Amino acid sequence: VNRLVIADASGLSRNNRLSAADIVSVLTYMQNHKHRELFVRSLSEAGTDGTLRKRMKKLPGKIFAKTGYISGVRTLSGYAVTPNGQWRAFSVLFNGFKGPSKPFNDIHNEICRILTSDPAGTTP
């Protein structure tokens, strides 16, 4: 069974089908790829640039990710850097909701805060 369907390169087609696990697999693969640095630079940095420049302003250098949005869909996938320098690949996809996307952005932001926190409870 083909789970992964990429109908267009823009990511804006409702016919695209992939799971958070599929995205994390790509992110994990890219962590050891020879073009890793170029790939990471293509992502937005929290509180600094791209689609994350106005979000998670307390997490620069800690979140590098790609956002996705079409009506009823909100996604965030990328890397979270822990206090000890470990890079965690993550993907959080919301699909099929009605109404504003801000509550889902807020959930993404909180997940990122948790992913970048110290296991002892210290958070940025």
Side-chain angles (χ1 to χ4, degrees):
V1 175
N2 289 336
R3 299 180 315 154
L4 180 70
V5 175
I6 299 182
D8 71 354
S10 74
L12 296 175
S13 171
R14 293 204 178 273
N15 295 321
N16 290 330
R17 298 282 182 261
L18 64 160
S19 69
D22 294 328
I23 296 169
V24 168
S25 291
V26 171
L27 292 165
T28 301
Y29 174 81
M30 289 306 295
Q31 282 182 300
N32 296 312
H33 194 276
K34 67 181 180 178
H35 297 299
R36 175 189 184 277
E37 287 183 40
L38 180 64
F39 180 73
V40 171
R41 284 196 315 263
S42 76
L43 303 173
S44 294
E45 181 179 347
T48 303
D49 62 15
T51 56
L52 295 178
R53 72 185 168 281
K54 294 181 180 178
R55 291 175 57 185
M56 299 178 274
K57 292 187 182 233
K58 292 183 178 181
L59 298 178
K62 301 288 185 184
I63 297 293
F64 301 88
K66 173 75 178 107
T67 61
Y69 174 77
I70 56 177
S71 180
V73 177
R74 197 67 172 147
T75 66
L76 185 67
S77 302
Y79 302 105
V81 184
T82 67
N84 67 359
Q86 177 187 10
W87 285 61
R88 296 176 175 168
F90 71 92
S91 182
V92 182
L93 315 176
F94 296 108
N95 189 12
F97 64 85
K98 297 198 184 310
S101 61
K102 185 181 181 322
F104 300 95
N105 286 349
D106 293 345
I107 293 168
H108 283 152
N109 296 349
E110 180 63 10
I111 289 169
C112 288
R113 188 193 63 75
I114 292 166
L115 287 172
T116 59
S117 68
D118 183 329
T122 306
T123 58

